[in-house]
């Protein structure tokens, strides 16, 4: 379990890191999707509690067990439009779950919490990648910019656009698929790191990503992919595999771009792949759920609903 503890310590601020920082780092990558899933559970829990608080404030009452089940199952048992519930006299207070929490809070909180829980690790890599790969004129200068702690114009522009896409996409997720998508996104984001790690050469002799590469990228990718596939299908059903495919393609595109610009990848490129992969997954999730809000609902909860 040293690998899992090392992955938690490196990727998050959560407790459980080994006392020796370097311990288990070579085995950590295989656990990246697991750590992402842990982060996703935390995000979904906080998001659910926010909505619970909103429901209590709106109704000035404690929701019943049926109301909570209605929320958790995402309204999948309803045979008529959810919007109609709000206008039905005597409708359950659970209908308020489908009235949006104020847009800024609904979209910003999960994204901001993920940044806090990860110390902005991947976001920093994304910003450095924007400066290095876009702003540099030759390979040497690009590598220097990737390592430069100062923030340039391309980094600012890139991070503003990235966060805007994430905020708006999270806010646009329908209630029926929201929790499961939020839970899955960090898992797929960290899985993309394994894709880039396996497909592209690490260009620095020493760097933040060096200990992970030494652990064997192919084994890590295979183990992490098993976790990612199981989590995807369990949380969002077969339709979620499309999210995973797009995350992998976006990560591959980031890696290919870096290869053309600097001859391979660095730890910052790993972070950029994670962030852009998450953004792509969120945008696609919104597109998929436009026609069917429950398209990314959890099959496991659907089974529970049917058996009940």
């Amino acid at each position: 379990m040293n690998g899992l503890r090392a992955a938690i310590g490196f990727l998050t601020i959560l407790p459980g890191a080994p006392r020796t920082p370097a311990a288990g780092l070579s085995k950590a990558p295989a656990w990246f999707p697991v750590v992402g899933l842990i982060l996703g559970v935390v995000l979904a829990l906080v998001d659910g509690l926010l909505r619970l608080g909103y429901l209590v404030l709106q109704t000035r009452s404690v929701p019943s067990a049926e109301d909570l089940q209605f929320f958790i199952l995402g309204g999948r048992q309803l045979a008529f439009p959810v919007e109609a519930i709000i206008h039905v006299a005597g409708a359950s207070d659970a209908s308020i779950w489908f009235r949006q929490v104020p847009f800024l809070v609904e979209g910003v909180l999960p994204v901001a919490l993920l940044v806090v829980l990860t110390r902005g690790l991947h976001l920093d890599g994304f910003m450095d990648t924007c400066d290095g790969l876009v702003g540099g004129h030759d390979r040497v200068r690009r590598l220097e910019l990737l390592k430069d702690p100062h923030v340039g114009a391309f980094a600012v522009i890139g991070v503003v656009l990235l966060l805007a896409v994430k905020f708006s996409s999270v806010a646009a997720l329908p209630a029926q698929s929201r929790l499961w998508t939020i839970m899955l996104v960090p898992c797929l984001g960290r899985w993309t790191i394994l894709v880039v790690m396996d497909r592209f050469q690490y260009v620095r002799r020493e760097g933040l990503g060096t200990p992970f590469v030494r652990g064997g990228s192919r084994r890590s990718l295979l183990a992490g992919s098993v976790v990612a596939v199981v989590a995807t299908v369990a949380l969002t059903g077969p339709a979620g595999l499309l999210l995973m495919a797009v995350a992998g393609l976006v990560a591959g595109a980031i890696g290919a771009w870096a290869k053309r610009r600097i001859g391979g990848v660095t730890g910052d490129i790993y972070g950029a792949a994670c962030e852009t992969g998450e953004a792509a997954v969120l945008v696609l999730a919104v597109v998929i759920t436009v026609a069917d809000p429950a398209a990314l609902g959890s099959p496991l909860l659907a089974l529970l609903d049917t058996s009940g």
Side-chain angles (χ1 to χ4, degrees), residues 43-129:
L43 296 182
L45 179 61
V46 172
D47 189 75
L49 290 175
L50 170 66
R51 291 170 175 272
L52 175 60
Y54 182 68
L55 175 61
V56 172
L57 287 175
Q58 290 290 314
T59 63
R60 292 181 173 83
S61 63
V62 177
S64 66
E66 291 76 13
D67 290 340
L68 292 177
Q69 183 185 32
F70 182 93
F71 166 62
I72 294 172
L73 296 179
R76 295 177 69 93
Q77 68 271 39
L78 299 177
F80 49 91
V82 170
E83 291 80 1
I85 306 175
I86 298 176
H87 304 291
V88 175
S92 168
D93 288 337
S95 64
I96 295 178
W97 286 118
F98 293 92
R99 299 179 186 175
Q100 287 189 340
V101 177
F103 181 85
L104 286 178
V105 175
E106 187 174 46
V108 170
L109 182 61
V111 177
L113 180 58
L114 183 58
V115 173
V116 172
L117 290 174
T118 60
R119 303 184 302 274
L121 177 66
H122 306 306
L123 199 61
D124 179 70
F126 172 82
M127 295 173 68
D128 287 342
T129 298

Side-chain angles (χ1 to χ4, degrees), residues 19-284:
R19 295 181 179 180
T20 305
L25 286 180
S26 63
K27 299 179 180 178
W31 294 97
F32 282 5
V34 175
V35 175
L37 194 57
I38 294 172
L39 290 170
V41 170
V42 174
L43 296 182
L45 179 61
V46 172
D47 189 75
L49 290 175
L50 170 66
R51 291 170 175 272
L52 175 60
Y54 182 68
L55 175 61
V56 172
L57 287 175
Q58 290 290 314
T59 63
R60 292 181 173 83
S61 63
V62 177
S64 66
E66 291 76 13
D67 290 340
L68 292 177
Q69 183 185 32
F70 182 93
F71 166 62
I72 294 172
L73 296 179
R76 295 177 69 93
Q77 68 271 39
L78 299 177
F80 49 91
V82 170
E83 291 80 1
I85 306 175
I86 298 176
H87 304 291
V88 175
S92 168
D93 288 337
S95 64
I96 295 178
W97 286 118
F98 293 92
R99 299 179 186 175
Q100 287 189 340
V101 177
F103 181 85
L104 286 178
V105 175
E106 187 174 46
V108 170
L109 182 61
V111 177
L113 180 58
L114 183 58
V115 173
V116 172
L117 290 174
T118 60
R119 303 184 302 274
L121 177 66
H122 306 306
L123 199 61
D124 179 70
F126 172 82
M127 295 173 68
D128 287 342
T129 298
C130 290
D131 274 341
L133 298 191
V134 179
H137 299 293
D138 55 52
R139 181 179 184 274
V140 174
R141 179 55 180 160
R142 289 165 191 152
L143 286 170
E144 289 176 353
L145 288 172
L146 284 169
K147 201 170 183 178
D148 191 341
H150 298 93
V151 175
F154 291 113
V156 174
I157 294 170
V159 77
V160 168
L161 294 176
L162 176 78
L163 292 177
V165 168
K166 283 191 169 186
F167 292 159
S168 56
S169 298
V170 171
L173 290 172
Q176 295 94 320
S177 300
R178 180 179 175 84
L179 288 182
W180 321 119
T181 304
I182 290 176
M183 203 178 299
L184 178 64
V185 165
C187 175
L188 293 184
R190 279 130 200 89
W191 171 74
T192 63
I193 297 175
L194 303 183
V195 174
V196 175
M197 192 179 295
D198 179 68
R199 292 193 56 191
F200 301 98
Q201 180 180 359
Y202 193 79
V203 296
R204 296 191 190 278
R205 291 184 178 180
E206 293 295 333
L208 198 59
T210 304
F212 304 120
V213 176
R214 291 170 181 166
S217 61
R218 182 54 51 88
R219 293 193 301 272
S220 298
L221 177 61
L222 291 175
S225 295
V226 171
V227 174
V229 168
V230 172
T232 298
V233 175
L235 293 175
T236 58
L241 293 175
L242 183 59
L243 301 179
M244 185 175 178
V246 167
L249 288 174
V250 169
I254 295 295
W257 182 36
K259 182 178 180 180
R260 288 196 299 270
R261 302 291 278 178
I262 60 174
V265 298
T266 67
D268 288 325
I269 307 301
Y270 295 157
C274 178
E275 290 291 339
T276 52
E278 287 180 348
V281 167
L282 285 169
V283 171
L284 182 58

